[in-house]
């Protein structure tokens, strides 16, 4: 990554956080001006765009409240101004990690660009050349000091072994497709162009409809390319952990495939078999080495042993994923668990400027130019249960007023609310 690119990222972050109040005001004003005449907002604002009227009249809702409007759009009225004026290009299917069932979230060309920008920003902050590292001084802005990464430009020295899974698109009655954010990204020509150079998983394995076959082949090809792997990960920490346990349960078969150069008969997906024919060659030496590593009594630190050049584990390990980190740390032998950004179905929210922080200590810097934020103060109670574990309970008063992003107070616990350009108010 060029020095000027890195410095431009720092400058941009400095500008948007320093001017957060102005940016938030402009964003809300733009959302309301565009969509004031939509069916949903018109019922509360009567064609007005005043911020205070918005905060007073538009109710705080959950997805379930707005779902009937989204269902109407999906069922044949995609072009009507029900929630937003900007044309829809499809829907995102949420992961379902927080609510159980996936949500159907309207997406526009603009929202896709914002999400992509967050991913690019995260990658930019994970890359820092030695030359730039040496240029930092105590007078450099605090972003420059806080996001020095120590990893170097890993794209130039190795590959990422990430478990990536595409999900089938869902055709809605209105003719627009609903797909996972990651699946949409995997289909981009830009991703397909960099895939062979930067990732160990071939395209065919990512789009294999059988998760077990896909997992097996992605791990097999990651082991074959073990000397090139510098980053390991997946979207969620739970998936990384499942991958490690999969190897623990199937390493003998994986080693047999590597030794003979033949894929197991139960791998029937044509794409996976085609990819294997190009990558898998008899390699008894590698198979014997992996057998020695995997046959050890304890699997503590096994990731470092299997992929010795790995610099960090890149995965979401906060929130609902925090419960998996202790076991993941056992297998990873001290490798940093990097939870790079905070994103949800409703929008791209924040990035982690201290990626080497422990999962329990991670904090995120909110990006004020993606969605409009309000914060609802809640009461936080910590109670010790019968197993001497601390349980966190939160509650809020029904008459509590929200505060804007720039007015939050350190130490206060809040519930975060968002109004997005894609019709979620």
């Amino acid at each position: 990554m060029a020095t000027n690119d890195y410095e431009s990222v720092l400058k941009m972050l400095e500008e948007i956080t320093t001017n957060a109040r102005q940016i938030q005001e402009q964003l809300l004003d733009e959302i309301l001006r565009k969509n004031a005449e939509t069916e949903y907002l018109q019922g509360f604002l009567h064609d007005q765009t005043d911020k205070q009227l918005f905060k007073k009249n538009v109710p705080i809702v959950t997805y379930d409240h707005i779902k009937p409007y989204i269902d109407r759009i999906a069922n044949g009225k995609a072009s009507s101004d029900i929630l937003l004026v900007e044309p829809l290009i499809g829907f995102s299917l949420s992961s379902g990690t927080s609510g159980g069932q996936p949500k159907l979230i309207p997406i526009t060309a603009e929202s896709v660009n914002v999400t992509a920008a967050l991913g690019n920003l995260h990658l930019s902050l994970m890359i820092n050349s030695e030359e730039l590292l040496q240029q930092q001084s105590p007078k450099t802005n605090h972003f420059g000091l806080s996001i020095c990464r120590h990893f170097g430009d890993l794209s130039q020295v190795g590959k990422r072994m990430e478990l990536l899974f595409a999900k089938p698109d869902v055709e809605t009655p209105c003719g627009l497709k609903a797909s996972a954010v990651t699946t949409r990204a995997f289909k981009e020509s830009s991703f397909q162009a960099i895939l062979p150079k930067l990732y160990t998983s071939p395209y065919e394995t990512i789009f294999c409809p059988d998760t077990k076959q896909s997992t097996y082949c992605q791990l097999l090809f990651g082991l074959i390319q073990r000397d090139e792997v510098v980053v390991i990960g997946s979207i969620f920490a739970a998936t990384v952990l499942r991958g490690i346990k999969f190897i623990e349960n199937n390493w003998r078969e994986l080693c047999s495939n590597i030794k003979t150069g033949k894929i197991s008969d139960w791998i029937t997906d044509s794409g996976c078999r085609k990819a294997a024919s190009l990558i898998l060659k008899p390699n008894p030496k590698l198979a014997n080495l992996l057998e020695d590593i995997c046959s050890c009594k304890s699997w503590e630190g096994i990731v470092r042993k299997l992929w010795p050049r790995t610099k960090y584990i890149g995965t979401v390990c906060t929130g609902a994923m925090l419960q998996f980190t202790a076991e993941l740390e056992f297998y990873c032998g001290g490798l940093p668990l990097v939870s790079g950004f905070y994103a949800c179905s409703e929008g791209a929210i924040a990035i982690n400027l201290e990626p080497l922080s422990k999962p329990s200590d991670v904090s995120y810097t909110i990006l004020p130019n993606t969605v409009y934020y309000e914060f609802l103060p809640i009461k936080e109670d910590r109670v010790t249960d019968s197993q001497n574990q601390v349980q966190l309970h939160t509650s809020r008063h029904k008459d509590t007023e929200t505060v804007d992003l720039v007015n939050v107070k350190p130490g206060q616990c809040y519930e975060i609310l968002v109004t997005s350009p894609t019709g979620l108010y």
Side-chain angles (χ1 to χ4, degrees), residues 42 115 143 175 242-243 284 320 346 372:
Q42 198 169 37
T115 302
F143 284 118
R242 282 199 301 269
E346 292 76 10
Y372 177 74

Side-chain angles (χ1 to χ4, degrees), residues 63 98 103 105 343-349 370-371 418-422 424:
Y63 176 79
S98 59
K103 303 173 185 176
I105 305 296
C344 57
S345 309
E346 292 76 10
I349 304 296
T370 59
V371 298
V418 301
T419 293
S420 79
T422 56
L424 304 179

Side-chain angles (χ1 to χ4, degrees), residues 152-421:
D153 188 349
L154 298 180
S155 65
Q156 301 299 318
V157 296
K159 292 185 176 183
R160 308 173 70 93
M161 197 213 78
E162 295 193 12
L163 292 173
L164 307 174
F165 303 97
K167 298 179 180 179
D169 292 338
V170 176
E171 188 82 24
T172 63
C174 71
L176 297 178
K177 291 183 178 180
S179 58
V181 174
T182 50
T183 299
R184 200 161 52 248
F186 298 154
K187 290 182 178 180
E188 293 288 337
S189 58
S190 57
F191 176 79
Q192 295 177 37
I194 65 172
L195 185 63
K197 178 184 177 183
L198 297 185
Y199 293 84
T200 60
S201 296
Y203 185 81
E204 293 86 353
T205 63
I206 297 172
F207 280 83
C208 173
D210 186 311
T211 303
K212 183 178 180 181
Q213 292 189 51
S214 174
T215 300
Y216 186 91
C217 291
Q218 290 192 60
L219 292 171
L220 175 64
F221 300 150
L223 290 170
I224 292 172
Q225 301 171 77
R226 68 186 293 265
D227 291 335
E228 298 181 68
V229 173
V230 291
V231 178
I232 289 174
S234 190
I235 301 298
F236 298 115
T239 308
V240 180
L241 187 58
R242 282 199 301 269
I244 297 171
K245 289 181 175 293
F246 192 98
I247 298 175
E248 192 171 13
N249 294 327
N250 297 278
W251 63 266
R252 291 179 178 83
E253 184 179 357
L254 290 163
C255 289
S256 175
N257 286 179
I258 295 171
K259 183 173 293 185
T260 62
K262 296 181 179 180
I263 193 78
S264 298
D265 291 339
W266 66 271
I267 303 296
T268 57
D269 180 79
S270 58
C272 287
R273 296 196 71 87
K274 176 183 176 182
S277 69
L278 300 175
I279 298 175
L280 190 57
K281 310 296 180 185
N283 194 337
K285 182 178 179 181
L286 175 58
N288 292 336
L289 173 61
L290 294 174
E291 286 175 345
D292 289 342
I293 294 173
C294 294
S295 60
C296 59
K297 288 185 178 181
S298 172
W299 267 47
E300 183 174 4
I302 194 68
V303 172
R304 279 187 179 274
K305 298 173 184 177
L306 291 175
W307 295 281
R309 295 183 61 203
T310 303
K311 303 298 183 184
Y312 68 90
I313 309 297
T315 187
V316 174
C317 50
T318 53
M321 294 296 116
L322 190 60
Q323 61 185 304
F324 302 105
T325 56
E327 194 171 5
L328 194 55
E329 287 172 337
F330 170 82
Y331 286 114
C332 293
L335 286 170
L337 303 183
V338 175
S339 194
F341 54 87
Y342 184 107
C344 57
S345 309
E346 292 76 10
I349 304 296
I351 57 171
N352 177 7
L353 295 179
E354 298 286 353
L356 298 185
S357 299
K358 292 183 178 298
S360 57
D361 297 330
V362 166
S363 62
Y364 295 98
T365 296
I366 286 180
L367 302 173
N369 59 339
T370 59
V371 298
Y372 177 74
Y373 304 95
E374 294 172 89
F375 293 82
L376 196 62
I378 60 178
K379 183 180 180 182
E380 184 179 86
D381 295 316
R382 284 179 166 82
V383 180
T384 303
D385 63 18
S386 57
Q387 283 77 41
N388 205 35
Q389 298 292 316
V390 175
Q391 301 293 325
L392 182 65
H393 300 283
T394 60
S395 60
R396 60 180 172 88
H397 192 274
K398 64 179 181 179
D399 296 326
T400 303
E401 293 187 0
T402 62
V403 298
D404 292 334
L405 171 62
V406 296
N407 294 324
V408 296
K409 297 178 180 179
Q412 169 69 51
C413 188
Y414 295 94
E415 184 174 356
I416 189 170
L417 313 175
V418 301
T419 293
S420 79

Side-chain angles (χ1 to χ4, degrees), residues 18-130:
T18 301
N19 300 307
R21 182 191 299 276
Q22 178 184 352
I23 291 172
Q24 281 280 279
E25 296 281 353
Q26 290 175 345
L27 181 58
L28 179 61
D29 182 65
E30 182 180 351
I31 292 172
L32 296 181
R33 280 192 297 103
K34 281 185 177 181
N35 301 316
E37 295 183 3
T38 57
E39 177 184 328
Y40 184 81
L41 283 183
Q42 198 169 37
F44 302 111
L45 301 181
H46 310 293
D47 297 335
Q48 300 298 307
T49 60
D50 179 70
K51 172 186 173 181
Q52 295 307 319
L53 187 65
F54 166 79
K55 298 191 75 169
K56 178 183 178 181
N57 287 1
V58 178
I60 296 173
V61 298
T62 65
Y63 176 79
D64 287 340
H65 291 94
I66 212 163
K67 183 177 182 296
Y69 296 90
I70 294 177
D71 287 344
R72 283 174 55 200
I73 297 172
N75 287 331
K77 296 186 177 181
S79 60
S80 61
D81 298 343
I82 295 176
L83 285 174
L84 71 164
V85 172
E86 190 174 353
L88 297 185
I89 62 172
F91 299 91
S92 282
L93 287 171
S94 71
S95 63
T97 54
S98 59
Q101 291 296 319
K103 303 173 185 176
L104 200 63
I105 305 296
I107 57 172
T108 64
E110 179 184 358
S111 67
V112 169
N113 290 337
V114 169
T115 302
L118 176 65
N120 292 335
L121 181 60
H122 163 58
L123 289 176
S124 297
L125 295 177
M126 292 303 297
I127 299 172
N128 187 42
S129 67
E130 186 66 27

